[in-house]
Amino acid sequence: MPVTAQQRGPLPATGAAVKRGGTAATKAVPVRAAFYFIRHAKEGATVEESKGAMIDFSSPEGLHILRHSTAHLMAQAIKRLYPDAKLGIGPAIEDGFYYDIDLPTPLTPDDLERIEAEMRAIVKENLPIVRAELPREKAVELFTSRNEPYKVELIHDLPKDAVISTYQQGEFIDLCTGPHVPSTGVLHHFKLTSLAGAYWRGDEHNRMLQRIYGTAYPAQEELDAHMARLEEARRRDHRRLGKELDLFSIQEEAGAGLIFWHPKGALVREIIENFWRAEHRRRGYDIVYSPHIARAELWQRSGHLNWYRENMYTGLDIDGVEYLIKPMNCPFHILMYRSKVRSYRDLPIRWGELGTVYRYERSGALHGLMRVRGFTQDDAHIFCRRDQLHDEIGGVLDLADYMLRSFGFDRYELYLSLRDPANPQKYAGSAEDWEWAQSTLAGVLEDKQLPYKAEEGEAAFYGPKIDIKLIDALGRGWQGPTIQLDFNLPERFDLTYAGQDGQLHRPYMIHRTVLGSMERFFGTLLEHHAGAFPVWLSPVQVMVLPITGRTVPYAREVQAYLRGKDIRAEVDDRDDKIGLKIREAQLQKIPYMLVVGDREVENRTVSVRHREHGDLGATALDTFADGVLAEIAAKR
RNA sequence: GCUGGCGUAGCUCAAUGGUAGAGCAGCUGAUUUGUAAUCAGCCGGUUGCGGGUUCGAUUCCCUCCGCCAGCUCCA
């Protein structure tokens, strides 16, 4: 196990996690909360100091150790089965671990079972795991003699003063800071999950190693729950749901990464867009439209041809002039801004556009609706004075929060993307501008007391940004809203406004989306709700199900009544049994089914069935409609 | 783009060096049904595109296109 930046830091010192004490603790404790001894609970601790340190596998850091040790166990098994294997790195990750290994032949899923079997054999051997510290030369010698060139490379790159340590279990030795469990015998509940390629040190110019992913938990039921979550994620995959619910498709004949919105998907999108427009107008935005292509000259001036060319579609020749397809809307909004003289009284100007852009994405990056080559951003650009910037950014954060909550996302994470100070040539603008812009964004987040994570090197070429990652029902994160500060384009296009002092001033510019793109947001929404959209978004809100042909006319009356109240209602008038109609409406995840037979006709009622709560019994039609309308209004 | 895997009917999948089969869907007919699948019949594929090997390819090989898992990159 190599040393990575992440692992080099000390373990979080939560009081409960690391305890000192006697050996009795393992007894009479349920497996879930089992305490095990580990060696070297803290970096730099002597063997004596850390003897007796204990870790709770159900704590985050304990789980990390468990998985890290399981990664070693896997590496040992692989070395036994494939003596030629050369070890890369093998860290614990968010829900498991992986190990990158250089093997002469590709592994297949069947090999995973063999490796797992060997892992279990090593567990049975209950090999003690022993730490050793050694001088750099000795470490190089050791791993050279063991034919581990990647480990040797890692040792060379360790800082001068680093303590170099190894962990040994039986014949297996790995470079690693630890800590680890005391022996292989305590590892039980693990599973190897998948195979993939991964570049050595994440650099595509390096050799590609084979990455084996696995996971481990303190208890079998937790491992089972993890596997069930993976299954659930497959079940609600937006690509599968998109097909099953007939929402969208991607047509090979048209090209990869291009989305076809089928009527039901288009309807949901329209609802989202209408809501979006109304909410923006309410908050002082104006809605605009702009073209899809523009002359190369414009993209030259905007800087896109310098900084973004590899993502742009080129080659349009119109009357001998080169045009490019827009990858962003900003230069167009800028041109509109410049179409007349602006006064300080006009600012802030907030222009929103559901603007469709095209960006080249490498084929391997494409993924359903989440990563496409043509998409519609819910874009807007705010032009404002310096004294308005803080409030404008705050206003966008409020709007993003409101929008996300309206769609059922009540958890999200904020990231502040900063430039990479080591690569200033990657960015437009001066160092001072960047410093100022970065601290402005951070200042707004801090004033709003929003917790965020700063990430260096993640900024756009024209300015720093705040990214919002949505957390869905399965706890997965998805990139959504983004707020980017731009001090580059106003400069390049010489944007001005006349100030109170009669002088010309430079406005500031904010690029922002609050959903991200219609495609990605829709995909995220689909997965979040597992296809069962809230009623206000459901393409079909009510399906009326006549039991026999006799009751079809009444069903049509019910439908007409509901449609009169703007409720999206359909009638399943097929000559089929009620069980089938219900089954299909359920599978289409339609929120309400209204069963109408002779009894309902006679009493002028409907029998309500809810997709989740089942049969709710008969009720008067207007009572039902009022309930649905209330639900729609509340966006539940 | 890279590594590995994959591409057979609208969908989910089976089979084979001797030109393919099931279920669902669709169509037709019968059935008039009370809360997750009524029955029967019929239709449906130059096995992703192109090339090669072979007496013969859907099966073996190569190119390309696309998909999947990652890596890299991003709304």
Side-chain angles (χ1 to χ4, degrees):
Chain A
M1 200 33 243
V3 181
T4 69
Q6 203 178 5
Q7 292 143 12
R8 211 175 293 131
L11 286 171
T14 66
V18 180
K19 293 190 177 174
R20 307 195 180 258
T23 56
T26 49
K27 306 218 173 88
V29 177
V31 182
R32 243 197 83 74
F35 291 89
Y36 287 101
F37 285 94
I38 57 160
R39 293 167 204 272
H40 299 276
K42 286 197 297 190
E43 185 180 18
T46 66
V47 174
E48 274 314 302
E49 277 171 351
S50 41
K51 224 173 214 170
M54 292 191 297
I55 195 80
D56 174 359
F57 281 166
S58 54
S59 72
E61 56 274 32
L63 194 56
H64 192 273
I65 291 167
L66 175 71
R67 288 166 171 176
H68 193 177
S69 295
T70 310
H72 276 217
L73 174 65
M74 179 175 79
Q76 181 175 17
I78 291 172
K79 290 287 280 187
R80 282 186 179 183
L81 296 170
Y82 311 92
D84 292 339
K86 298 181 183 65
L87 304 177
I89 62 164
I93 53 173
E94 193 171 341
D95 37 39
F97 60 84
Y98 67 79
Y99 216 119
D100 285 347
I101 297 180
D102 192 357
L103 283 165
T105 52
L107 293 172
T108 68
D110 291 341
D111 294 324
L112 293 186
E113 286 176 29
R114 291 180 55 220
I115 296 166
E116 248 180 59
E118 188 59 38
M119 289 168 72
R120 297 197 190 283
I122 299 169
V123 169
K124 274 224 178 79
E125 291 168 29
N126 195 18
L127 302 170
I129 298 174
V130 181
R131 178 188 166 99
E133 293 182 7
L134 66 178
R136 182 173 300 247
E137 312 75 58
K138 288 278 179 203
V140 170
E141 209 173 286
L142 174 69
F143 286 103
T144 306
S145 73
R146 295 179 69 88
N147 192 26
E148 296 288 4
Y150 299 101
K151 296 295 181 190
V152 174
E153 187 181 327
L154 290 168
I155 295 169
H156 282 307
D157 290 352
L158 287 176
K160 286 248 177 310
D161 55 345
V163 175
I164 297 176
S165 59
T166 60
Y167 279 76
Q168 176 161 15
Q169 52 201 62
E171 80 289 355
F172 177 83
I173 305 180
D174 203 346
L175 173 73
C176 186
T177 51
H180 281 282
V181 299
S183 78
T184 60
V186 305
L187 303 169
H188 295 293
H189 312 292
F190 54 80
K191 180 142 190 68
L192 305 188
T193 49
S194 65
L195 287 165
Y199 299 108
W200 168 237
R201 307 193 121 180
D203 183 335
E204 61 182 315
H205 302 294
N206 286 340
R207 185 174 166 77
M208 186 166 271
L209 311 181
Q210 297 191 61
R211 176 171 294 180
I212 303 109
Y213 283 93
T215 192
Y217 281 91
Q220 186 61 38
E221 59 264 32
E222 288 170 277
L223 178 59
D224 292 344
H226 174 81
M227 298 314 288
R229 263 196 309 282
L230 290 182
E231 180 54 36
E232 175 65 13
R234 277 189 284 278
R235 203 178 65 74
R236 50 169 85 200
D237 187 313
H238 73 279
R239 294 165 298 185
R240 168 203 275 252
L241 290 170
K243 196 176 281 179
E244 287 173 359
L245 304 179
D246 195 15
L247 298 169
F248 69 91
S249 65
I250 299 170
Q251 307 285 334
E252 187 179 339
E253 280 178 271
L258 303 171
I259 306 304
F260 291 74
W261 294 76
H262 293 21
K264 284 180 185 159
L267 175 52
V268 178
R269 173 170 167 175
E270 187 186 327
I271 295 163
I272 296 170
E273 290 183 351
N274 289 341
F275 172 61
W276 184 92
R277 286 191 190 94
E279 193 54 36
H280 278 71
R281 290 220 153 92
R282 216 164 67 81
R283 293 175 189 247
Y285 283 78
D286 294 309
I287 311 271
V288 301
Y289 295 94
S290 64
H292 287 74
I293 60 174
R295 293 159 58 164
E297 222 171 282
L298 178 71
W299 303 110
Q300 186 65 53
R301 180 157 193 188
S302 70
H304 284 87
L305 281 181
N306 270 342
W307 309 103
Y308 209 71
R309 188 179 195 118
E310 61 192 26
N311 291 294
M312 293 175 71
Y313 296 105
T314 58
L316 284 180
D317 180 311
I318 300 178
D319 290 343
V321 176
E322 188 191 358
Y323 281 70
L324 289 92
I325 303 170
K326 69 173 169 184
M328 297 185 193
N329 304 299
C330 30
F332 296 95
H333 294 186
I334 283 175
L335 293 184
M336 279 193 274
Y337 180 93
R338 289 205 315 173
S339 66
K340 63 182 241 191
V341 176
R342 305 286 171 182
S343 145
Y344 72 95
R345 299 171 195 275
D346 299 329
L347 304 182
I349 286 174
R350 308 186 190 94
W351 284 341
E353 175 172 3
L354 293 163
T356 303
V357 298
Y358 291 84
R359 298 182 186 173
Y360 172 72
E361 294 290 347
R362 305 212 275 182
S363 59
L366 300 175
H367 179 85
L369 292 175
M370 303 306 197
R371 195 69 184 281
V372 297
R373 286 179 173 161
F375 56 99
T376 300
Q377 289 184 301
D378 67 305
D379 207 0
H381 295 97
I382 300 172
F383 302 91
C384 64
R385 306 188 304 257
R386 185 173 186 142
D387 61 291
Q388 295 169 324
L389 204 45
H390 185 277
D391 286 352
E392 287 303 314
I393 294 168
V396 175
L397 284 169
D398 291 343
L399 173 57
D401 179 78
Y402 176 76
M403 293 291 282
L404 296 183
R405 285 180 196 285
S406 298
F407 288 102
F409 295 101
D410 32 24
R411 291 169 59 206
Y412 54 78
E413 291 169 356
L414 292 141
Y415 294 83
L416 177 59
S417 297
L418 309 171
R419 72 180 182 141
D420 178 359
N423 281 305
Q425 74 285 358
K426 273 175 64 183
Y427 305 94
S430 70
E432 299 75 58
D433 285 341
W434 276 88
E435 280 311 314
W436 175 81
Q438 293 183 170
S439 61
T440 301
L441 288 178
V444 177
L445 289 169
E446 270 146 32
D447 289 351
K448 287 198 165 285
Q449 300 190 323
L450 292 166
Y452 67 94
K453 207 173 131 199
E455 295 186 314
E456 283 190 348
E458 297 295 317
F461 73 82
Y462 49 76
K465 58 179 178 169
I466 295 169
D467 283 325
I468 298 181
K469 194 190 271 186
L470 318 184
I471 307 300
D472 77 7
L474 291 184
R476 298 170 302 177
W478 302 95
Q479 172 62 48
T482 173
I483 305 169
Q484 312 185 345
L485 199 49
D486 186 347
F487 37 80
N488 175 48
L489 288 176
E491 195 72 34
R492 282 175 173 270
F493 285 91
D494 192 25
L495 298 189
T496 57
Y497 67 88
Q500 206 164 3
D501 56 6
Q503 304 293 307
L504 289 181
H505 300 269
R506 186 80 72 218
Y508 288 83
M509 185 173 177
I510 300 165
H511 308 241
R512 44 107 286 179
T513 73
V514 293
L515 300 177
S517 73
M518 298 316 295
E519 286 75 10
R520 184 178 286 178
F521 186 74
F522 184 73
T524 306
L525 195 62
L526 247 185
E527 302 214 356
H528 183 57
H529 294 292
F533 289 111
V535 178
W536 72 288
L537 291 168
S538 291
V540 178
Q541 293 166 321
V542 178
M543 181 62 88
V544 188
L545 306 175
I547 288 177
T548 73
R550 284 194 304 280
T551 56
V552 168
Y554 178 66
R556 293 241 170 263
E557 261 182 67
V558 169
Q559 179 192 29
Y561 176 83
L562 294 172
R563 284 187 167 175
K565 291 189 174 286
D566 287 330
I567 293 171
R568 294 185 290 275
E570 302 292 337
V571 176
D572 185 346
D573 60 359
R574 292 175 304 171
D575 190 10
D576 271 302
K577 291 172 80 167
I578 193 68
L580 182 85
K581 295 180 183 181
I582 286 171
R583 178 183 156 77
E584 296 196 349
Q586 285 284 158
L587 291 175
Q588 286 298 303
K589 304 180 193 279
I590 295 165
Y592 288 101
M593 288 151 271
L594 296 182
V595 176
V596 294
D598 293 334
R599 287 204 296 269
E600 287 74 18
V601 174
E602 191 167 332
N603 302 322
R604 308 297 290 173
T605 58
V606 289
S607 281
V608 181
R609 182 188 165 93
H610 186 268
R611 67 182 166 199
E612 278 151 38
H613 307 122
D615 191 352
L616 301 178
T619 184
L621 182 54
D622 55 354
T623 310
F624 166 76
D626 289 346
V628 173
L629 289 172
E631 207 176 332
I632 291 169
K635 295 191 167 45
R636 273 184 286 118

